[in-house]
Amino acid sequence: MSTVAVFFIIHAAVVLLWFFVASRFRTRQQAAVESILVLLLPVFGVLILFSWRVVCRLFHYDVHHPEPLEDDRDDFSISTMDYQADIVPLSDTYLLGDARMKRRLFTNAIKQEVVENPDILREAVRDEDREITYYAVSMMTARMGKVSDDIDAAEQELSKDLGAEEREGLLTRYADLLEDYLKNGYGDADSRAAKEQHLLETLAELVRLEPDIDEIREQQIRAQIRAKAFDEAHAACKAYEAERPQAEGPVYLRLMLAVAERDDAGVRTAVKELRALPVRLSPEALTAIRYWGGKARNE
């Protein structure tokens, strides 16, 4: 066999080998183009491609995924960025018509653990997308389990012989955990009723320990209203108002109590007294005056 024939056989083998190896790491089209270059430029084609690979590796340039040209119009494309709470309010994702985009934003938010609003999670549970529902149910279950474990741990600590200051701090944390459990709608009716009773008892003890802390008194009255313990709420409001005359808190809570009891006369009286208070009202109180004051005038 002549030397020329051996050269062409070796060259053909090199071309086929190059195509086989290149197609493992690049697209078949790119591998074919490189193989044609090797075929048309015997020896030099291999040297050129090999040198190009070495240069790219030295300068950390990925030849398989070259940098695209920058386009400022794509910087704020919602389809190309992860969920960020300060850019896309999660509640607005339900307005998106693209199901895949909505799923991506929501699941990214779940993985980043930025979903704090229980109403959004409850809405997600009813979503048509099974993946969104799965993630929402999983997060609600995990959070309910964590809160339940924290409540059990706090109850075990409270059963011990503690100092007054330590017990007071633990009671405050225990009340906050119970509030979290109830506000998020965790558990069945029986467990919620038990937690509601424990919360009322805990807040009553905290009020006895710290009668001068308005936040605790207001938390107690709100819990009594939520539990429909209206007689206890009336007594607590009366005592609170006697100790804090001309303060917003007692009058505002009396308004919320009247609303819960559907007491139209009580609503009108509380709104009138709120307006007459010689203090700067909170945004919460002003919102209540605009809403319930308007309804009272229309009735």
Side-chain angles (χ1 to χ4, degrees):
M1 184 179 295
S2 65
T3 305
V4 176
V6 173
F7 174 80
F8 278 113
I9 291 174
I10 295 174
H11 182 57
V14 171
V15 172
L16 293 175
L17 180 62
W18 187 277
F19 177 79
F20 175 76
V21 174
S23 61
R24 299 287 299 273
F25 301 98
R26 292 174 285 284
T27 63
R28 296 180 67 88
Q29 291 85 349
Q30 186 175 359
V33 171
E34 292 183 1
S35 299
I36 292 173
L37 180 63
V38 174
L39 176 65
L40 297 178
L41 297 174
V43 180
F44 292 102
V46 173
L47 292 177
I48 291 172
L49 291 173
F50 182 76
S51 301
W52 169 244
R53 298 295 171 190
V54 171
V55 170
C56 290
R57 184 170 294 275
L58 288 175
F59 289 94
H60 304 288
Y61 179 74
D62 188 355
V63 295
H64 308 314
H65 301 89
E67 293 290 334
L69 293 176
E70 294 186 1
D71 189 344
D72 294 339
R73 294 173 299 176
D74 293 337
D75 288 347
F76 298 98
S77 173
I78 195 171
S79 62
T80 60
M81 66 182 178
D82 291 335
Y83 172 76
Q84 295 182 21
D86 58 342
I87 298 177
V88 183
L90 189 59
S91 57
D92 291 349
T93 61
Y94 290 99
L95 303 177
L96 298 173
D98 190 328
R100 289 189 299 176
M101 187 185 302
K102 178 174 68 173
R103 183 191 309 136
R104 180 187 176 193
L105 288 174
F106 190 87
T107 53
N108 282 349
I110 292 287
K111 294 171 184 176
Q112 295 174 33
E113 296 183 349
V114 298
V115 183
E116 300 293 341
N117 191 335
D119 293 333
I120 292 177
L121 283 176
R122 282 193 286 270
E123 186 175 356
V125 169
R126 299 189 295 269
D127 195 83
E128 297 176 354
D129 192 299
R130 292 184 179 180
E131 187 171 348
I132 289 179
T133 301
Y134 169 77
Y135 276 110
V137 171
S138 299
M139 172 163 277
M140 290 186 68
T141 303
R143 289 193 173 184
M144 183 177 70
K146 184 179 185 306
V147 172
S148 298
D149 291 342
D150 291 343
I151 289 174
D152 292 340
E155 289 175 348
Q156 291 178 5
E157 289 294 319
L158 287 170
S159 64
K160 300 178 182 178
D161 186 14
L162 303 173
E165 185 175 348
E166 186 178 0
R167 179 173 179 81
E168 183 182 334
L170 188 56
L171 283 171
T172 301
R173 181 172 180 273
Y174 181 53
D176 291 340
L177 288 170
L178 292 172
E179 286 269 16
D180 190 17
Y181 186 96
L182 294 168
K183 285 183 178 180
N184 289 327
Y186 295 150
D188 55 21
D190 293 337
S191 63
R192 288 177 58 79
K195 296 290 191 296
E196 194 83 65
Q197 185 60 35
H198 293 163
L199 177 60
L200 293 174
E201 295 170 357
T202 302
L203 291 173
E205 183 176 352
L206 281 171
V207 170
R208 289 194 299 270
L209 293 173
E210 292 287 352
D212 297 330
I213 299 181
D214 294 346
E215 289 79 5
I216 296 177
R217 302 183 72 111
E218 293 177 7
Q219 187 179 8
Q220 180 191 37
I221 296 171
R222 291 176 189 272
Q224 290 168 337
I225 293 173
R226 187 175 57 245
K228 300 188 186 303
F230 296 139
D231 292 339
E232 292 85 346
H234 275 291
C237 280
K238 186 175 180 180
Y240 187 22
E241 198 163 4
E243 296 179 13
R244 298 288 188 275
Q246 296 188 335
E248 175 192 307
V251 183
Y252 175 79
L253 290 171
R254 183 151 46 82
L255 170 60
M256 295 297 100
L257 178 57
V259 169
E261 292 183 302
R262 301 180 185 276
D263 179 5
D264 296 338
V267 169
R268 287 192 291 270
T269 300
V271 168
K272 183 178 179 181
E273 292 182 15
L274 270 178
R275 286 174 171 156
L277 286 176
V279 296
R280 184 172 182 175
L281 299 179
S282 66
E284 189 178 25
L286 292 173
T287 300
I289 288 174
R290 285 194 295 269
Y291 183 76
W292 294 109
K295 288 184 71 68
R297 287 194 297 271
N298 294 332
E299 292 174 348

